[in-house]
């Protein structure tokens, strides 16, 4: 029996789409070329934030956050989610002005999750922060979760709802067969379905190109580092204003350091290579903002393979060239928090043809 | 726990371990000096507070971690003793800033 | 204190590790006119097998034995040569383009080499028994290092346990040094003799036979040896107090003990090679992952060669020759010598290598560690750094962790500072057994640089280029 929907890509977005579709009664098959959570979904910084998002993403992010706060109900696993808040730090008066303008812009849209904090309030929230920091944006209720565990939880919930997940299956082609789609795989298989969802992450551009709607996707290897165990000294997740930084301490005391620095990668072999000059700049940022971290040991560093779009927001929506095909990819390093909602949006689109959330800015034709 | 089988040829090195003076031989690693001074455990683990001592003596087990001259998590087996060195055994999670 | 600032930005040849393979490689590379740098973590040359050979307080040659003193010649040749020596330095990263990340004296920097030879040697196979983390329990190698570099021997009641030549060598050295051993608990499975027997004739003709026989005689004459030991446990309250063991399935025997020295063979130290991306395969005889290298030591990454025990356990003499062959190949690859010169020089090294390898298979098969000492159960610790037990590992496998990398998402197994050096093989074997799949299919931890921890301050101290500063993209 051919499934109703084939989802290409078993990352968080693919598994989330599988779950929401299965709960709506669709028969779903997920085809994953490596294993579930192998790439960006399983190895990212785990940030669950509304703070600092592109204005277009905010409605989706706010809706997704509601799902995060009930994640146990959604996937029967708390995913390690902890909501100790997010802080974006200003290191000068000029940066604080930028942040002030940002908060005003967000409030003008009717959203109140971002609040400006001054020097004193910053130090109440982050006692260990360096003296030169002038304030920041505070977002209560934001937090972090465990990426691989979360992806696996969505997978399992989808399977309990009847979805089938096949790993080690590499999709090589897509062809329309009358009213249905035929998905060809490297093992010689051919799978038919009424609808196809492209959640292929850093490889999604190939499918898009095959559909006649090429996109300028940039495969990117975002680098992360983790420290040894430190006595607890910071609760919220921290970012900076004009330097890339994502900084959080886990319950076990280890500190994760991320940001925008990229390594090199090879999409064919899944190989990533770290760029230590970039990591050195990351380390410098950490040392500048939290001097007590200078003696922390970096125990491990890694980079996942992620898809970046030139405007740093994802592609979400129906195909512009073919009926029955839908896209959810290109989350540009901040898709983890959007995982719960992206699947819901896709499920709505596939089954009803429309969605309540404003996804116009994410249309595939915008490039 | 360990004893000298030969007398060191060169002048001994004096260091402080947890506030008490310890004598070592010039070629000793800090880990060797601790074992020779009958220090049973050089640290307790951050996970469970269990005592540990050097296990491999070649820099791969990370059980010989001690604080040397104020810098924490130094591998004692890869650190050569120096006159006046201050060594502290480590308890549990490392305090940030040391 | 070693100062990295004076190093060149680029060398023809970078060698990592100052054991026999590294010393031989760096010495020869420099002789062929390659600008050569040798990095090593220790303060003096020799690696582990020739540890402290230039400064050991144990001057009486008979104590450590003549094999050890071979290292002095190698070290001497190296020091007199023109390779740049950087002791006290930790190489924590090497990229595909051979950009090397190295730390010394609290600072780090990057530099490149046109060719790299990894000579990172071996480490002791994990020996996960009850109580193996107790103070008072250490490896035979560790005890031997204390002996060589500081002239220290264990006080009180000493028990040795395990299998392999090092056990016998250490026992002999202790006897010569006047260290009393309560017992040697020999865990070699009796059935190993069946597998090893066909290779006995070759062994008897090799250089290892006479040495081995002499060692065995010396130790047997003075030490109580229990053979066929099937279980060993270390017990105590915060420190070792007693060792419990069984001969076969016999009743438990307890020995009061202050020191328990464990050894069941050595395995290649693969963390750096793995982090670079060199291909490895599972060796079913030696029960470990070994890099895939050709007869010149070339790995699967162009420009990166592996020499010595790090490329497959074969002992110090084989390591020396494989180091020379790798350096020869590097000199040829970099155009310093032609095919003819390379092959001419290689001849004697290959002969010496063959002689060094001759007869070893017998030892590999005889001293292959027993399953029960490789597959712990219950609350025996598998991961020492993060204190993860065998039972927790097996539960995680039941819960869906299909391999060592998925395991990391359930448990912190393998995520401590040792980067799996003391738990990786155990984990691979446990998962393989639980899933009834070959270890090669299960694979190993996905290792990435830094292969040893570096501080935030060290990392931040890496000099930047302006281009790198401008290349920052906001995420």
């Amino acid at each position: 029996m051919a499934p109703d929907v084939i989802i290409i890509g078993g990352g968080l977005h693919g598994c989330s789409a599988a779950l929401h579709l299965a709960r709506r009664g669709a028969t779903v098959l997920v085809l994953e070329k490596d294993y579930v959570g192998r790439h960006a979904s399983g190895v990212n910084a785990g940030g669950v934030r509304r703070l600092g998002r592109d204005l277009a993403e905010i409605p989706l992010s706010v809706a997704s956050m509601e799902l995060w706060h009930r994640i146990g109900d959604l996937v029967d696993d708390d995913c390690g989610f902890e909501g100790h808040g997010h802080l974006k730090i200003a290191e000068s008066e000029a940066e604080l002005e930028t942040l002030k303008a940002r908060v005003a812009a967000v409030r003008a849209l009717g959203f109140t999750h971002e609040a400006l904090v001054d020097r004193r309030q910053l130090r109440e929230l982050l006692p260990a922060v360096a003296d030169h920091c002038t304030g920041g944006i505070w977002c209560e209720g934001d937090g972090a979760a465990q990426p691989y565990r979360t992806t696996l939880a969505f997978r399992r919930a989808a399977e309990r709802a009847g979805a089938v997940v096949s790993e080690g299956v590499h999709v090589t082609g897509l062809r329309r067969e009358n009213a249905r789609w035929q998905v060809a795989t490297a093992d010689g298989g051919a799978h038919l379905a009424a609808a196809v969802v492209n959640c292929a992450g850093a490889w999604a551009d190939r499918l898009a190109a095959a559909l006649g709607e090429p996109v300028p996707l940039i495969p990117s290897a975002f680098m992360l580092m983790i420290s040894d165990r430190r006595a607890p000294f910071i609760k919220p997740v921290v970012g900076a204003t004009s330097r890339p930084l994502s900084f959080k301490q886990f319950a076990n005391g280890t500190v994760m350091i991320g940001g925008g620095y990229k390594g090199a990668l090879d999409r064919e072999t899944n190989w990533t290579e770290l760029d230590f000059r970039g990591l050195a700049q990351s380390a410098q940022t950490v040392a500048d903002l939290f001097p007590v971290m200078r003696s922390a040991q970096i125990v491990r560093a890694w980079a996942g393979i992620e898809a970046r779009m030139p405007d740093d927001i994802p592609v979400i929506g129906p195909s512009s060239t073919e009926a029955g095909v839908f896209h959810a990819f290109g989350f540009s390093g901040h898709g983890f928090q959007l995982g719960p909602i992206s699947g819901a949006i896709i499920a709505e689109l596939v089954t009803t043809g429309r969605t309540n959330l404003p996804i116009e800015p994410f249309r595939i034709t915008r490039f | 726990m360990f004893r000298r089988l030969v007398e060191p040829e060169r002048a001994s090195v004096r260091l402080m371990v947890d506030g008490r003076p310890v004598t070592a031989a010039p070629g000793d690693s800090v880990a060797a000096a601790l074992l020779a001074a009958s220090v049973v455990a050089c640290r307790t683990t951050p996970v469970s507070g269990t005592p540990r001592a050097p296990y491999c003596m070649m820099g791969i087990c990370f059980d010989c971690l001690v604080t040397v001259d104020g810098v924490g998590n130094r591998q004692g087996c890869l650190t050569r003793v120096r006159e006046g060195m201050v060594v502290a055994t480590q308890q549990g999670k490392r305090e940030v800033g040391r | 204190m070693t100062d990295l600032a004076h190093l060149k930005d680029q060398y023809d040849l970078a060698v990592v590790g100052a054991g026999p393979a590294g010393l031989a490689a760096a010495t020869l590379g420099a002789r062929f006119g390659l600008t050569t740098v040798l990095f090593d973590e220790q303060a003096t040359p020799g690696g582990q097998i020739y540890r402290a050979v230039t400064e050991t307080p144990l001057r009486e040659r008979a104590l450590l034995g003549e094999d050890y003193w071979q290292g002095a010649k190698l070290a001497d040749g190296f020091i007199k040569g023109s390779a740049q020596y950087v002791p006290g330095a930790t190489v924590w990263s090497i990229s595909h383009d051979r950009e090397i990340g190295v730390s010394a004296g609290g600072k780090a920097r990057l530099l490149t080499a046109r060719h790299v030879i990894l000579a990172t040697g071996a480490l002791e196979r994990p020996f996960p028994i009850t109580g193996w983390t107790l103070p008072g329990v250490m490896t035979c190698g560790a005890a031997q290092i204390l002996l060589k570099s500081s002239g220290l021997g264990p006080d009180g009641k000493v028990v040795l346990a395990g299998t392999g030549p090092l056990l016998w060598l250490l026992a002999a050295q202790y006897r010569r040094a006047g260290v009393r051993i309560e017992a040697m608990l020999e865990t070699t499975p009796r059935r190993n003799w069946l597998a090893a027997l066909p290779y006995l004739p070759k062994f008897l003709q090799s250089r290892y036979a006479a040495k081995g026989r002499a060692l065995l005689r010396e130790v047997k004459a003075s030490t109580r040896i229990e053979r066929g030991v099937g279980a060993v446990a270390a017990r105590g309250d915060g420190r070792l107090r007693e060792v419990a063991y069984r001969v076969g399935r016999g009743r438990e025997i307890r020995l009061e003990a202050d020191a328990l020295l464990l050894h069941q063979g050595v395995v290649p130290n693969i963390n750096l090679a793995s982090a670079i991306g060199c291909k490895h395969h599972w060796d079913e005889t030696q029960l470990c992952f070994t890099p895939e290298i050709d007869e010149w030591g070339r790995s699967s990454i162009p420009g990166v060669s592996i020499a010595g025990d790090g490329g497959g356990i074969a002992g110090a003499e084989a390591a020396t020759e494989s180091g020379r062959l790798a350096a020869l190949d590097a000199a040829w690859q970099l155009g310093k010598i032609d095919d003819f010169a390379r092959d001419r020089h290689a001849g004697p090294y290959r002969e010496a290598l063959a002689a060094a390898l001759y007869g070893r298979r017998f030892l590999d098969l005889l001293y292959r560690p027993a399953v029960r000492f490789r597959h712990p159960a219950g609350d025996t610790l598998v991961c020492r750094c993060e204190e993860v037990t065998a039972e927790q590992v097996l539960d995680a496998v039941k819960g869906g962790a299909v391999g060592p990398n998925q395991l990391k998402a359930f448990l912190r197994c393998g995520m401590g500072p040792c980067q799996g050096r003391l738990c990786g093989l155990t984990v691979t074997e446990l998962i393989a057994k639980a899933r009834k799949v070959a270890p090669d299919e299960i694979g190993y931890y996905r290792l990435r640089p830094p292969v040893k921890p570096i501080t935030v301050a060290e990392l931040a101290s890496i000099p930047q280029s302006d281009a790198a500063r401008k290349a920052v993209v906001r995420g």
Side-chain angles (χ1 to χ4, degrees):
Chain A
M1 263 290 295
D4 297 322
V5 189
I6 287 176
I7 298 174
I8 302 172
L12 178 58
H13 301 282
C15 292
S16 176
L19 171 63
H20 289 280
L21 279 163
R23 293 230 173 115
R24 279 173 180 256
T27 50
V28 180
L29 171 64
V30 178
L31 300 176
E32 160 55 49
K33 73 177 179 71
D34 293 304
Y35 57 83
V36 166
R38 165 70 177 89
H39 297 290
S41 294
V43 300
N44 61 69
V48 178
R49 65 173 172 90
R50 293 158 296 173
L51 174 57
R53 293 223 168 235
D54 187 293
L55 298 180
E57 285 183 351
I58 292 179
L60 275 62
S61 179
V62 166
S64 207
M65 195 54 105
E66 283 170 29
L67 293 176
W68 272 105
H69 284 286
R70 297 183 281 113
I71 201 79
D73 296 335
L74 185 58
V75 293
D76 214 17
D77 187 326
D78 71 40
C79 300
F81 174 60
E82 292 190 344
H84 299 299
H86 263 241
L87 250 180
K88 189 194 266 287
I89 300 173
E91 294 186 72
S92 66
E93 289 305 324
E95 285 188 4
L96 192 57
E97 283 304 307
T98 313
L99 298 187
K100 210 170 172 186
R102 156 82 190 184
V103 172
V106 171
R107 291 194 173 221
L109 290 173
F111 296 102
T112 53
H113 54 276
E114 296 189 9
L116 199 68
V117 293
D118 61 21
R119 265 189 156 270
R120 186 190 55 80
Q121 291 164 311
L122 176 66
R123 264 150 204 85
E124 268 168 36
L125 292 162
L126 285 182
V129 79
D131 287 337
H132 69 278
C133 297
T134 52
I137 298 179
W138 165 245
C139 188
E140 191 156 354
D142 278 0
Q146 290 166 24
Y148 185 77
R149 178 176 164 186
T150 303
T151 309
L152 218 57
F154 270 83
R155 178 229 178 116
R156 289 194 170 145
E159 286 173 320
R160 285 194 294 273
V164 173
V165 177
S166 286
E167 293 172 313
V169 179
H170 196 141
V171 168
T172 50
L174 198 54
R175 206 162 53 84
R176 193 198 271 293
E177 273 247 324
N178 302 320
R180 292 194 294 185
W181 285 96
Q182 188 183 83
V183 178
T185 53
D187 55 7
H191 307 265
L192 289 169
V196 173
V197 184
N198 178 11
C199 288
W203 296 264
D205 56 338
R206 293 174 177 174
L207 284 163
L211 292 160
E213 43 188 356
V215 290
L217 185 153
I218 309 156
S220 301
F222 287 76
M223 302 191 294
L224 289 166
M225 309 187 268
I226 192 140
S227 79
D228 54 348
R229 297 166 182 309
R230 324 296 296 166
F233 75 103
I234 180 169
K235 271 192 123 41
V237 179
V238 170
T241 301
S242 43
R243 312 200 240 183
L245 178 72
S246 154
F247 184 80
K248 73 174 68 65
Q249 182 170 33
F250 293 105
N252 61 28
T254 59
V255 178
M256 179 178 285
I257 301 164
Y261 298 95
K262 318 274 192 312
L265 66 98
D266 180 348
R267 277 201 291 185
E268 303 309 314
T269 59
N270 293 341
W271 177 252
T272 57
E273 188 141 82
L274 297 164
D275 166 23
F276 277 92
R277 283 189 187 80
L279 289 176
Q281 290 193 61
S282 210
Q284 188 63 62
T285 304
V286 169
D288 287 344
L289 288 172
F290 296 98
V292 290
M293 278 290 293
R294 293 183 59 85
S295 63
Q297 302 254 346
I298 299 302
V299 167
R300 196 162 186 259
W302 68 94
I305 299 180
E306 165 68 305
R308 243 199 88 220
M309 307 312 297
D311 52 3
D312 279 315
I313 59 175
V315 171
I316 305 175
S319 161
S320 64
T321 53
E322 299 283 355
V325 180
F326 304 84
H327 299 288
F329 65 83
F331 288 85
S332 304
H334 48 259
F336 183 61
Q337 192 262 352
L338 297 175
I341 204 67
S342 75
I345 293 169
I346 290 295
E348 270 189 297
L349 287 173
V350 172
T351 56
T352 72
R354 43 176 305 280
T355 173
N356 286 329
L357 285 165
I359 60 167
E360 244 294 286
F362 309 109
R363 65 193 182 282
I364 195 168
T365 52
R366 69 185 193 263
F367 299 106
Chain B
M1 275 193 67
F2 275 79
R3 62 187 171 87
R4 301 274 168 194
L5 301 170
V6 289
E7 281 312 303
E9 284 179 8
R10 292 170 286 156
S12 43
V13 174
R14 288 160 308 173
L15 42 147
M16 297 293 278
V17 175
D18 287 342
R20 71 179 177 92
V22 158
T23 308
D28 281 353
S29 61
V30 170
L34 291 178
L35 289 167
S38 299
V39 173
V40 171
C42 61
R43 72 183 187 111
T44 58
T45 62
V47 176
S48 68
T50 312
R52 293 286 180 94
Y55 178 78
C56 78
M57 289 300 298
M58 57 175 281
I60 54 141
C61 76
F62 291 84
D63 261 326
C64 64
L65 300 180
V66 285
T67 300
V68 176
D69 293 335
V71 178
N73 283 347
R74 300 276 306 269
Q75 288 179 284
C77 73
L78 291 178
T79 310
R80 198 158 266 228
V81 295
R82 223 199 42 242
E83 182 70 23
M85 187 178 259
V86 176
V87 176
T89 57
Q90 301 193 163
Q91 308 306 318
K93 280 190 180 43
R94 283 277 305 125
E95 285 295 329
V96 176
R98 276 212 299 147
Chain C
M1 273 274 206
T2 303
D3 184 4
L4 298 176
H6 295 133
L7 296 179
K8 294 199 238 284
D9 284 334
Q10 192 186 73
Y11 288 86
D12 287 330
L13 175 64
V15 179
V16 183
L23 290 173
T27 308
L28 194 62
R31 254 191 39 215
F32 279 117
L34 299 173
T35 56
T36 303
V37 63
L38 172 65
F39 296 106
D40 187 69
E41 280 196 306
Q42 298 298 328
T44 57
Q48 301 314 323
I49 197 154
Y50 299 136
R51 183 78 177 251
V53 75
T54 58
E55 53 170 2
T56 178
L58 299 175
R59 302 303 189 83
E60 206 205 295
R61 288 178 84 96
L63 206 170
L64 293 171
E66 273 312 308
D67 279 352
Y68 172 77
W69 291 104
Q70 291 306 307
K73 291 197 206 119
L74 267 180
D76 198 51
F78 168 72
I79 287 166
K80 292 200 166 87
S82 57
Q84 173 133 37
Y85 177 39
V86 188
T90 299
V91 170
W92 39 264
S93 165
I94 303 182
S95 72
H96 278 187
D97 296 333
R98 296 168 309 282
E99 182 173 67
I100 297 164
V102 57
S103 284
K107 291 231 165 14
R109 69 166 286 183
L110 300 167
L111 52 91
T112 59
R114 295 169 66 208
H115 199 99
V116 168
I117 296 175
L118 301 178
T120 52
L123 47 83
E124 294 208 45
R125 174 186 299 284
F127 204 138
I129 57 168
T130 300
W132 68 306
T133 53
L134 279 171
V137 180
M138 60 170 59
T139 62
C140 283
Q144 206 186 44
I145 286 166
L146 286 163
L147 185 65
K148 289 170 181 170
S149 48
S150 298
L152 289 167
D155 231 344
K157 297 192 178 341
V158 184
V159 176
L160 270 58
T163 178
L166 181 56
L167 218 60
W168 298 92
L169 178 58
L170 181 65
Q173 290 168 333
Y174 273 173
R175 190 203 66 82
R176 296 166 200 164
V179 175
R180 185 190 143 73
I181 297 169
E182 296 303 305
M184 181 196 290
L185 307 175
E186 230 267 347
T187 61
T188 307
R190 292 194 223 272
R191 82 179 82 84
N192 281 7
W193 278 95
L194 271 164
L197 222 46
Y199 302 92
L200 182 58
K202 260 194 170 157
F203 169 74
L204 290 172
Q205 290 166 31
S206 77
R207 64 185 57 174
Y208 302 107
K211 286 187 207 168
R213 254 201 300 266
L215 220 52
L216 254 62
R217 224 182 356 248
E218 186 182 350
V219 176
K220 280 192 222 179
S222 57
T223 308
R224 177 160 88 90
I225 299 161
E226 291 270 32
R227 289 191 186 270
V229 170
V232 179
R235 300 204 186 118
D237 52 352
R239 68 182 298 174
L240 176 71
R241 297 286 181 202
E242 75 174 20
V243 174
Y245 70 97
R246 286 177 207 279
V247 174
R249 280 192 236 280
R251 62 175 178 82
E252 182 179 273
I253 301 166
R254 296 197 200 148
L255 292 173
E256 220 183 292
D258 301 296
L260 172 61
L261 308 177
L262 302 173
H263 178 78
Q264 52 178 1
V266 291
V267 296
N269 187 353
I270 61 166
N271 284 43
L272 193 47
S274 230
I276 295 170
C278 300
K279 290 209 182 89
H280 289 68
H281 66 261
W282 175 259
D283 182 325
E284 186 55 26
T285 303
Q286 297 203 347
L287 298 166
C288 60
F289 284 97
T290 302
E292 287 179 9
I293 51 176
D294 72 4
E295 74 274 18
W296 296 103
R298 294 183 200 170
S299 75
S300 59
I301 303 285
V304 175
S305 306
I306 302 175
D309 272 359
I313 303 301
E317 288 150 317
T320 306
E321 302 310 323
S322 72
R324 290 179 176 141
L325 288 165
L328 205 48
D329 183 51
W332 176 79
Q333 284 195 39
L334 296 178
K336 288 288 184 185
I337 56 174
D338 61 20
D339 295 24
F340 184 69
R342 180 192 65 175
D343 295 340
R344 187 166 47 86
H345 280 101
Y349 302 151
R350 291 214 182 278
E351 271 179 47
L353 178 59
L357 293 173
Y358 191 84
R360 287 192 69 96
R361 190 150 173 77
F362 172 76
L363 294 170
D364 289 346
L365 290 166
L366 180 64
Y367 292 128
R368 206 161 166 271
V371 166
R372 69 194 65 180
F373 291 110
R374 293 171 4 233
H375 298 184
D379 59 10
T380 303
L381 286 185
V382 168
C383 170
R384 292 173 61 111
C385 294
E386 296 293 322
E387 303 186 57
V388 179
T389 67
E391 182 163 0
Q392 286 172 308
V393 172
L394 293 172
D395 281 347
V397 176
K398 284 194 207 117
V402 296
N405 296 298
Q406 290 82 346
L407 194 68
K408 286 195 229 179
F410 291 72
L411 302 165
R412 281 193 53 86
C413 191
M415 291 167 78
C418 97
Q419 258 207 12
R421 289 168 177 88
L422 268 79
C423 69
L425 291 177
T426 310
V427 165
T428 290
E429 285 210 68
L430 282 177
I431 298 179
K433 181 163 104 163
R435 291 190 52 213
K436 303 200 195 346
V437 157
D440 217 2
E441 215 187 296
I442 295 292
Y444 195 73
Y445 293 127
R446 192 173 299 125
L447 297 171
R448 310 309 324 278
V451 301
K452 289 198 101 183
I454 45 177
T455 64
V456 166
E458 272 176 319
L459 196 44
S461 76
I462 290 176
Q464 294 288 337
S465 64
D466 284 331
R469 252 186 286 264
K470 289 182 190 132
V472 168
V473 179
R474 298 175 62 140

